[in-house]
Amino acid sequence: MDFAKVEKRVRTTVPVVHGMMEAQELNLRIREDTAKYLLNLDVNSAYYDPKTRSMREDPLPDADPNEKFYAGDNRYRVSGQALEFKQLNIHAWEAFEKGQDVHMQAAPSQAELLFKNYKVIKEQLKSKMKDAIMEKYGNAATVEELPKELLFGQTEKEVEYDRAGRVIKGMETSLPKSKYEEDVYINNHTSVWGSWWKDHQWGYKCCKQTIRNSYCTGAAGIEASESAANLMKANIDRKAQPLKTSSPTEEKRLATWGAEIPEDLVLDQKKLGDALKKVTPEEMEAYRMKKVHHDDPMKDFVH
């Protein structure tokens, strides 16, 4: 059926009014749209009220929304001008409750003008509040660099307030977390103590020393310590190797005081004669006085 060719039919029944023929036009409805209650014939589908000819729910909820011609009366009530009209009514009721002499049915133009002024004033207040907040706290979306006081103003202190805004606890002065001064370089070091770790010992990264009060020797100290460590490892490896078997050597049997005298011992007769000479007590006393006892701890104080 070509709807462009649908024309108006003219009924020419001839009622005569004051001697003239009156033609009456009769507009015929075009019923190309499917009725609401025929979109979905399922018994459990959306309810259709025949008295008000309304179907509030969507009769085809699973269909493609781009191909839907009708999606229920609720959709039209919350979209378009219907939503604006609803907001206008709510504003008129609230304004009347607050003392404004406005009535939507009695003076709709006045209510609409009042609602427009209300929206303009509301947007102005929002913009003013936004500008005040941005001026006080700044805007993180801008390219301007924030001051260091704001960037590094973080704290881990917990403060407790009461309902009146008074501080209950939490403003006490906190003790420093470390007993050592931070970023302080001593003894020509270029790094702090504890910047290097090896073999369960802390040290300086610049010279790799594990003694806290040591003086920094730089790269030369690192090379010296590495060479010493390599030499120590070499000595340990050398000692760990099995000893070479050498030819047995004859032991010299020496006669010591209190030991048994070997049979093949040869004595010097001259020295033996001098030793057997009679020594007077005065000479023995002089010998004892002049003799230095190296194992005596008081020898340095006597002489």
Side-chain angles (χ1 to χ4, degrees), residues 8-268:
K8 298 178 181 179
R9 298 182 181 180
V10 179
R11 187 179 58 184
T12 56
T13 47
V14 228
V16 179
V17 179
H18 299 291
M20 299 178 61
M21 184 178 294
E22 181 183 2
Q24 295 181 357
E25 294 182 359
L26 181 62
N27 296 330
L28 298 179
R29 277 193 311 168
I30 300 172
R31 298 182 176 271
E32 70 274 12
D33 296 336
T34 307
K36 301 176 184 178
Y37 50 84
L38 296 179
L39 293 175
N40 191 352
L41 300 179
D42 188 2
V43 180
N44 297 324
S45 65
Y47 174 73
Y48 174 75
D49 187 9
K51 186 175 182 179
T52 58
R53 297 180 182 179
S54 62
M55 182 180 288
R56 299 188 177 183
E57 298 180 3
D58 188 0
L60 299 172
D62 299 330
D64 187 5
N66 297 325
E67 298 179 358
K68 283 185 182 180
F69 178 77
Y70 178 75
D73 295 340
N74 289 339
R75 179 180 178 182
Y76 301 106
R77 291 184 180 183
V78 294
S79 62
Q81 294 182 352
L83 182 60
E84 296 178 359
F85 185 74
K86 182 178 180 180
Q87 294 176 354
L88 178 60
N89 281 325
I90 294 174
H91 176 263
W93 297 337
E94 292 178 352
F96 182 78
E97 290 178 357
K98 294 179 180 179
Q100 294 285 342
D101 189 9
V102 58
H103 197 277
M104 185 61 196
Q105 284 72 29
S109 300
Q110 179 186 2
E112 186 176 1
L113 180 60
L114 186 63
F115 184 56
K116 288 182 179 180
N117 295 336
Y118 165 75
K119 290 193 290 185
V120 171
I121 295 172
K122 184 178 180 180
E123 292 297 330
Q124 292 178 355
L125 290 175
K126 279 186 177 180
S127 62
K128 288 182 180 179
M129 184 180 296
K130 182 179 178 180
D131 295 341
I133 293 174
M134 291 176 60
E135 183 179 358
K136 185 175 182 180
Y137 299 103
N139 187 6
T142 58
V143 295
E144 298 178 359
E145 295 184 359
L146 297 176
K148 293 184 178 180
E149 293 80 6
L150 185 59
L151 288 175
F152 302 105
Q154 301 177 0
T155 179
E156 297 180 357
K157 293 191 299 183
E158 182 180 355
V159 183
E160 185 177 352
Y161 300 89
D162 58 0
R163 292 185 177 180
R166 293 184 294 268
V167 179
I168 299 177
K169 64 178 181 179
M171 293 298 290
E172 299 84 2
T173 56
S174 59
L175 297 175
K177 295 184 178 179
S178 175
K179 65 178 181 179
Y180 304 106
E181 296 179 356
E182 297 182 359
D183 299 333
V184 176
Y185 306 107
I186 59 174
N187 296 337
N188 201 31
H189 289 286
T190 57
S191 60
V192 296
W193 168 258
S195 58
W196 186 67
W197 168 267
K198 185 179 181 182
D199 298 335
H200 303 281
Q201 288 183 341
W202 293 105
Y204 295 98
K205 186 179 180 181
C206 54
C207 57
K208 295 184 179 180
Q209 296 193 45
T210 56
I211 302 175
R212 180 173 176 79
N213 295 326
S214 62
Y215 192 82
C216 183
T217 55
I222 296 175
E223 295 178 359
S225 62
E226 290 178 354
S227 61
N230 295 332
L231 181 60
M232 184 181 297
K233 290 181 180 178
N235 293 334
I236 293 174
D237 295 339
R238 182 174 54 81
K239 291 182 179 180
Q241 294 177 359
L243 297 175
K244 296 181 180 180
T245 57
S246 58
S247 59
T249 57
E250 297 180 356
E251 285 188 17
K252 293 183 179 180
R253 302 181 65 183
L254 301 177
T256 57
W257 179 261
E260 295 181 357
I261 300 175
E263 297 178 354
D264 56 349
L265 181 63
V266 180
L267 300 177
D268 191 354

